[in-house]
Amino acid sequence: QVQLVESGGGSVQSGGSLTLSCKATVHGYDQYCMGWFRQAPGKEREAVASISPGSSTKYYADSVKGRFTISRDNTMNTLYLQMNSLKPEDTAMYYCAADQLPCVAAAPDWHEYNYWGQGTQVTVSS
């Protein structure tokens, strides 16, 4: 059983920063590929970033490269997403996800992840 709880969302102005956290309750957290996804109203869920169990492999969507940083602390079973230079188009519900699948430096398919948090809302105003 895997439980994921996100936190850290909120409302910020364009150019601001937020750090999202995702606390996992699971045995063997360091065996899971972890990802951040987002979904805006009326839009498809999209991958934002992913990170391999040992943090050696990371993926970023082109739209967030250079602004967002994904990281994980396996001693704390926690995943992070540092978001800088936020834009109104970053407004969405952000979800963390976990699965024991190959974690590659390519856009993950959200359908392949079996475990999801409840989401945390990020709203960026212009």
Side-chain angles (χ1 to χ4, degrees):
Q1 185 72 14
V2 179
Q3 292 185 323
L4 303 172
V5 179
E6 301 98 333
S7 61
S11 297
V12 295
Q13 291 193 326
S14 182
S17 298
L18 285 172
T19 299
L20 305 184
S21 299
C22 173
K23 177 71 173 180
T25 301
V26 60
H27 178 69
Y29 174 77
D30 59 1
Q31 299 172 30
Y32 284 77
C33 179
M34 301 295 297
W36 285 102
F37 296 78
R38 66 186 181 187
Q39 188 166 20
K43 293 190 176 181
E44 285 281 320
R45 187 168 298 192
E46 64 174 353
V48 175
S50 67
I51 186 168
S52 60
S55 302
S56 60
T57 300
K58 298 178 184 179
Y59 161 81
Y60 293 98
D62 287 344
S63 59
V64 307
K65 278 181 184 175
R67 300 188 298 123
F68 290 12
T69 301
I70 189 171
S71 62
R72 64 192 292 167
D73 183 340
N74 289 346
T75 66
M76 298 292 291
N77 283 17
T78 303
L79 175 72
Y80 302 98
L81 186 67
Q82 173 68 45
M83 305 186 294
N84 298 325
S85 303
L86 283 161
K87 304 175 181 180
E89 50 264 43
D90 294 318
T91 295
M93 185 71 80
Y94 283 71
Y95 300 90
C96 74
D99 212 293
Q100 289 178 301
L101 46 72
C103 212
V104 298
D109 183 347
W110 70 268
H111 296 92
E112 296 179 344
Y113 282 74
N114 284 309
Y115 305 105
W116 292 84
Q118 81 289 349
T120 186
Q121 178 68 38
V122 172
T123 303
V124 185
S125 58
S126 58

